[in-house]
């Protein structure tokens, strides 16, 4: 069975000083790609309330294996402080949005 590699764009923001679109293409480990994109811009020890929203886009179905891999990569970088959900399609150009230090 051939394994498909999803090409995804994640919008990472802390709504303060960091705002970046990151492309994940499956050719590079997700944790490595996210680390390279985020770098030392954020203080990772302070990232405790992260929220990851996957946008349910009609033209790009996400499988749970891909969602699991992305969530695992984010937890490698930031620890256990991650809540994720799948939400209705929006006008966002990204496939997912990672909100760092999200406060409810």
């Amino acid at each position: 069975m051939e394994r498909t590699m999803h090409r995804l764009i994640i919008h990472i923001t802390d709504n303060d000083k960091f705002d970046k679109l990151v492309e994940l293409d499956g050719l590079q480990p997700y944790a490595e790609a996210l680390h390279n994109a985020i770098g030392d811009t954020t203080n990772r020890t302070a990232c405790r309330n992260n929220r990851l929203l996957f946008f349910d886009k009609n033209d790009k179905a996400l499988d749970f294996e891909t969602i699991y891999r992305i969530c695992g990569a984010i937890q490698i970088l930031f620890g256990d402080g991650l809540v994720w959900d799948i939400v209705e399609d929006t006008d966002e150009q990204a496939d997912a949005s990672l909100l760092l230090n999200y406060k409810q």
Side-chain angles (χ1 to χ4, degrees):
M1 181 164 82
E2 184 178 325
R3 190 175 189 189
T4 59
M5 291 294 189
H6 290 283
R7 185 166 286 228
L8 303 170
I9 296 176
I10 296 182
H11 179 201
I12 303 174
T13 182
D14 66 3
N15 291 322
D16 184 19
K17 57 193 171 292
F18 189 79
D19 192 73
K20 186 165 188 170
L21 292 176
V22 177
E23 186 171 341
L24 303 178
D25 63 7
L27 299 177
Q28 181 180 26
Y30 288 165
E32 182 182 329
L34 290 166
H35 176 267
N36 290 346
I38 295 170
D40 294 326
T41 307
T42 59
N43 181 355
R44 279 187 244 143
T45 59
C47 291
R48 295 287 181 243
N49 299 307
N50 302 317
R51 184 165 173 81
L52 178 60
L53 301 175
F54 291 96
F55 303 123
D56 183 18
K57 297 188 176 291
N58 294 330
D59 62 338
K60 188 182 288 186
L62 285 172
D63 59 78
F64 281 108
E65 179 183 357
T66 302
I67 290 172
Y68 180 80
R69 285 183 59 215
I70 293 171
C71 290
I74 292 169
Q75 287 180 315
I76 287 170
L77 293 178
F78 298 113
D80 293 332
L82 176 67
V83 173
W84 69 272
D85 200 358
I86 300 173
V87 297
E88 289 185 26
D89 190 5
T90 67
D91 291 334
E92 174 84 38
Q93 74 181 80
D95 301 297
S97 183
L98 174 60
L99 308 173
L100 301 176
N101 288 319
Y102 174 79
K103 302 273 193 287
Q104 289 183 325

